[in-house]
C-alpha cells in the first residue's frame, strides 16, 4: 500500500491511510484502481505539462511500466 501511494500519488501516506487500507481486506488491484480513479490522481494528471506526459503517468500507474507509442496514441485518441 505504501508503494502505491509513492508510485501513483507521489507522496508518503499517513499512518491512518495505511491502516485504513490494511484493515479493508481489499485486494491490491482494487486499491490501485481506487487510487487511479481518485480526485487526487486526477489533479496530478491535470498538472502534467502535456497530454502525452499525463498518458505516460496513467500507464505507469495502471500497469507499472511506460506505455508504448501505440498505447499512448490510443489513450490520446480515446476521447
Amino acid at each position: 500500500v505504501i508503494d502505491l501511494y509513492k508510485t501513483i500519488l507521489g507522496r508518503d501516506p499517513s499512518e491512518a491511510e495505511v491502516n485504513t487500507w490494511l484493515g479493508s481486506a481489499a485486494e491490491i488491484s482494487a486499491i490501485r484502481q481506487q487510487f487511479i480513479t481518485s480526485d487526487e490522481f486526477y489533479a496530478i494528471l491535470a498538472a502534467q505539462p502535456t497530454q502525452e506526459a499525463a498518458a505516460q503517468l496513467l500507464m505507469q500507474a495502471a500497469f507499472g511500466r511506460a506505455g508504448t507509442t501505440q498505447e499512448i496514441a490510443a489513450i490520446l485518441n480515446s476521447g
Side-chain angles (χ1 to χ4, degrees):
V1 171
I2 294 170
D3 286 342
L4 291 178
Y5 273 93
K6 290 181 178 184
T7 59
I8 295 174
L9 301 178
R11 66 176 178 84
D12 290 326
S14 69
E15 185 175 334
E17 289 171 322
V18 171
N19 290 338
T20 296
W21 286 113
L22 293 179
S24 74
E27 292 186 20
I28 200 74
S29 61
I31 296 171
R32 178 183 299 274
Q33 182 177 358
Q34 288 290 322
F35 280 29
I36 292 171
T37 59
S38 71
D39 290 341
E40 185 174 353
F41 186 68
Y42 285 150
I44 293 167
L45 287 177
Q48 296 305 300
T50 65
Q51 290 181 335
E52 290 81 5
Q56 279 291 2
L57 183 62
L58 180 60
M59 284 295 299
Q60 189 65 44
F63 302 107
R65 63 172 176 80
T68 66
T69 302
Q70 294 83 7
E71 289 168 332
I72 298 304
I75 290 170
L76 296 176
N77 295 321
S78 67

